[in-house]
Amino acid sequence: MVTPLEPRTSSSEQAKPPFWRNITVVKWAAQIGFLAFFVWFFWILITQAASNLADTGIPFSWDFLAEPLGVLLGEGFTTQPASGIEALAVGMVNMLRITLSGIVAATILGTLIGIARLSHNWIVSKVANAYIEFFRNIPLLVQIYFWSALITTIFGELTVDQEGSGWFFSSSKGVAIPWLIPESGRWQYVALILVGAVVARLAYKWRIRILEEKGLETHALAWGLSVFTTFMVLGWFLHPVMGIFGWLWSALAWVFGNLPVWVFQLALAALAIWVAYRFIKNFLDERRTPAGLAKLTDDDYFRLVVAGFLGLATAAFFLLGPGSATVSRILGRDLTFTMNWGLEPLFDFLARKFDFSTGAPLDFSQPEVVVTGVFPQYSLEAGRAFTPAYLAVWVGVTLYTAAFIGEIVRAGIMAVHRGQNEAASSMGLKRGQVLRLVVLPQAFRIILPPLGSQYLNLAKNTSLGIAVAYADIVQVGQTIYNQEGQTLAVFLIWMGFYSAVSLILSGIVNYYNRKMQLVER
């Protein structure tokens, strides 16, 4: 007897796998679990370290930020900090001084070295190659020691006979050169320069738009530079008009000082929800086609859920008790570590600076040697003095980073197809014009990502300045924990500061990297 075949069940009628085998559940659980484990592990480390410190009689505390240290720093905007937080601020500024100026100098020098490596001149090419091989293969710490020893030994002692002003001084105490000293009108002048930069940018884009629409030569770059130069020149005489911003800063100081805290809590909560909403909306709009919304993946849903959760969690934080205390500190209602900071003190400070002052923005000043006691010193009010420690670190990280940048530039130029050079040469362009107008603009698309890595290395390598007693954040932090015993707190500040600097530099490089990408049609 033939048994009739049983009808096949459709896939929708088949039994679903248990939730612990569902790929979506597994992916979400893995991500959330890893995040929870990471937060838990970090919390355990911090609490255990704090407990161990308490057992040694030095409990974990941030009180040292408000306490006077009673130490003198080697250099900075103040050498006698009133508190621990001011001392750390001096170290941060000193580190940023080397980082920002070193990035500019290393980029220029590295680009020239990279171009010289490809020169047809045999001597120029070999000298550039020798530079790269020499500085790249010697440890940076050794180079910093070398420059420190060279600077302190090659220059003579600063003597009483040199007392007075001059154009240039060099001694074992460093180098002093003429400098532009900021005066009372600098705030209005800087504000006018920023306005000029915005107007110059608009003029540049306007000329570019005419070039694209009509095909006429509009000299967009020359227009932008001319507008910016005009603002710089006229601003020297007209900067007092920017004192009108003083009224704006005064009004903002009144707003942040008199409105109830709950108003700002509601505003920040609404802002958090709006940011989450905009992220979700833009995310969905990017996946919307004329046929409708594209199918979202599990990762897409996860991003949307996380964005919504973070927005609601941030809004709840600001609406609850912790948010009230946080907003009070942001506004400046509560003094934190005896520092008068916050939005109200900030705008009060700006209102005092924008007061229609007619003083010159800058004053040219020659360096000066003064004798206040037994030993002569460089004056802090005249010219600019660079200590041996600063020069050693700056020269070391600049020359060392420039060697790597030179190789990156050389590789980027060689990555541009040879046909680009030949086509540009066939149009009658000279070698310098080919390099400047054709090769380098294409090479920088390749150069920029590894260039950003070198910028990060330069910023972090400044910490080696502790070897020559340069008063950056590492050396200042070491002084603090040697005196106060708060090793864990200082290390947390170090990690937070260097992480912030690295993320900011990475964000800037990534922004320009996206701007320079070719748009495919």
Side-chain angles (χ1 to χ4, degrees):
M1 184 176 180
V2 180
T3 304
L5 297 175
E6 296 181 359
R8 294 183 178 180
T9 57
S10 62
S11 59
S12 61
E13 295 175 352
Q14 293 179 355
K16 294 183 178 180
F19 73 91
W20 62 82
R21 293 177 55 190
N22 188 299
I23 185 62
T24 302
V25 175
V26 172
K27 289 172 63 176
W28 283 47
Q31 296 184 73
I32 296 175
F34 178 79
L35 178 62
F37 172 78
F38 179 79
V39 173
W40 171 82
F41 183 72
F42 188 75
W43 176 257
I44 290 296
L45 289 178
I46 296 297
T47 54
Q48 185 62 42
S51 175
N52 294 340
L53 285 174
D55 293 339
T56 62
I58 309 176
F60 177 81
S61 172
W62 298 105
D63 293 341
F64 71 92
L65 295 176
E67 298 172 352
L69 296 179
V71 298
L72 292 177
L73 301 182
E75 59 187 290
F77 61 84
T78 178
T79 56
Q80 297 178 333
S83 61
I85 194 170
E86 187 173 14
L88 289 170
V90 172
M92 294 176 186
V93 172
N94 287 342
M95 177 268 184
L96 293 175
R97 285 172 58 199
I98 288 186
T99 298
L100 298 180
S101 59
I103 284 175
V104 175
T107 302
I108 296 174
L109 179 59
T111 301
L112 295 177
I113 293 295
I115 295 174
R117 283 273 281 117
L118 300 174
S119 174
H120 294 318
N121 187 308
W122 186 85
I123 295 179
V124 172
S125 176
K126 293 304 178 183
V127 169
N129 183 61
Y131 171 90
I132 292 174
E133 295 300 329
F134 179 80
F135 286 102
R136 188 174 60 175
N137 293 308
I138 297 178
L140 177 57
L141 184 59
V142 175
Q143 296 187 40
I144 292 176
Y145 274 130
F146 169 77
W147 292 115
S148 177
L150 181 65
I151 292 170
T152 54
T153 57
I154 198 173
F155 299 134
E157 293 291 333
L158 195 63
T159 62
V160 179
D161 298 337
Q162 295 176 286
E163 184 178 6
S165 60
W167 286 99
F168 178 80
F169 293 100
S170 61
S171 69
S172 59
K173 296 183 181 295
V175 174
I177 60 175
W179 203 257
L180 293 175
I181 305 299
E183 297 293 342
S184 58
R186 66 184 183 275
W187 295 90
Q188 295 95 307
Y189 185 64
V190 169
L192 197 59
I193 290 298
L194 294 177
V195 173
V198 174
V199 176
R201 175 65 176 171
L202 294 176
Y204 175 80
K205 295 176 68 175
W206 168 57
R207 301 303 294 178
I208 288 293
R209 186 168 60 252
I210 294 178
L211 172 65
E212 294 175 346
E213 293 176 354
K214 300 182 180 180
L216 302 176
E217 179 56 52
T218 56
H219 305 286
L221 182 60
W223 269 77
L225 293 177
S226 299
V227 171
F228 184 72
T229 304
T230 302
F231 271 85
M232 288 187 64
V233 175
L234 296 181
W236 189 270
F237 307 98
L238 303 179
H239 66 272
V241 301
M242 300 306 290
I244 194 173
F245 277 98
W247 300 342
L248 174 62
W249 307 140
S250 298
L252 290 174
W254 183 91
V255 169
F256 289 118
N258 292 276
L259 290 183
V261 173
W262 62 265
V263 173
F264 297 98
Q265 289 181 257
L266 291 176
L268 290 173
L271 177 63
I273 295 175
W274 180 81
V275 170
Y277 162 76
R278 291 296 303 176
F279 175 84
I280 294 173
K281 183 178 183 301
N282 293 336
F283 188 86
L284 295 176
D285 289 343
E286 291 176 357
R287 286 152 181 80
R288 199 178 303 277
T289 64
L293 184 65
K295 184 178 180 180
L296 300 179
T297 64
D298 296 334
D299 290 337
D300 293 337
Y301 284 115
F302 185 80
R303 293 189 183 94
L304 295 176
V305 171
V306 170
F309 172 77
L310 291 178
L312 294 175
T314 305
F317 169 81
F318 282 118
L319 293 176
L320 298 178
S324 176
T326 302
V327 172
S328 295
R329 287 185 171 85
I330 294 174
L331 296 176
R333 306 284 176 90
D334 298 330
L335 290 180
T336 305
F337 304 126
T338 68
M339 295 288 287
N340 187 24
W341 57 13
L343 293 178
E344 182 186 4
L346 171 63
F347 288 113
D348 273 333
F349 171 80
L350 293 175
R352 293 193 299 269
K353 298 302 179 182
F354 286 79
D355 56 356
F356 297 99
S357 174
T358 57
L362 300 170
D363 182 32
F364 181 79
S365 174
Q366 290 181 323
E368 184 179 357
V369 176
V370 296
V371 182
T372 56
V374 179
F375 302 102
Q377 302 285 343
Y378 293 130
S379 173
L380 300 179
E381 287 77 26
R384 167 69 74 174
F386 299 97
T387 64
Y390 175 89
L391 293 173
V393 178
W394 188 86
V395 172
V397 298
T398 299
L399 297 181
Y400 182 75
T401 307
F404 290 92
I405 292 178
E407 283 294 85
I408 292 172
V409 171
R410 180 188 65 84
I413 293 175
M414 294 182 67
V416 177
H417 197 277
R418 186 177 180 181
Q420 298 288 324
N421 289 272
E422 296 173 349
S425 299
S426 66
M427 297 176 62
L429 297 179
K430 298 180 180 179
R431 178 174 171 78
Q433 293 176 315
V434 172
L435 184 66
R436 179 171 56 90
L437 301 176
V438 178
V439 177
L440 283 180
Q442 298 180 72
F444 272 118
R445 293 192 178 96
I446 307 169
I447 293 170
L448 199 54
L451 199 62
S453 298
Q454 293 304 317
Y455 292 162
L456 297 182
N457 289 336
L458 187 149
K460 290 178 285 189
N461 285 337
T462 58
S463 61
L464 295 175
I466 191 175
V468 290
Y470 177 63
D472 71 332
I473 185 174
V474 177
Q475 197 268 345
V476 173
Q478 186 187 52
T479 302
I480 290 175
Y481 72 64
N482 285 337
Q483 180 169 310
E484 303 291 334
Q486 294 298 331
T487 308
L488 179 59
V490 171
F491 269 80
L492 290 176
I493 294 173
W494 282 348
M495 291 189 294
F497 174 73
Y498 279 104
S499 295
V501 171
S502 298
L503 290 174
I504 292 173
L505 289 176
S506 298
I508 295 173
V509 172
N510 290 337
Y511 169 78
Y512 282 102
N513 189 35
R514 290 192 298 270
K515 294 282 287 185
M516 295 180 66
Q517 285 180 348
L518 293 175
V519 180
E520 298 181 359
R521 298 184 182 274

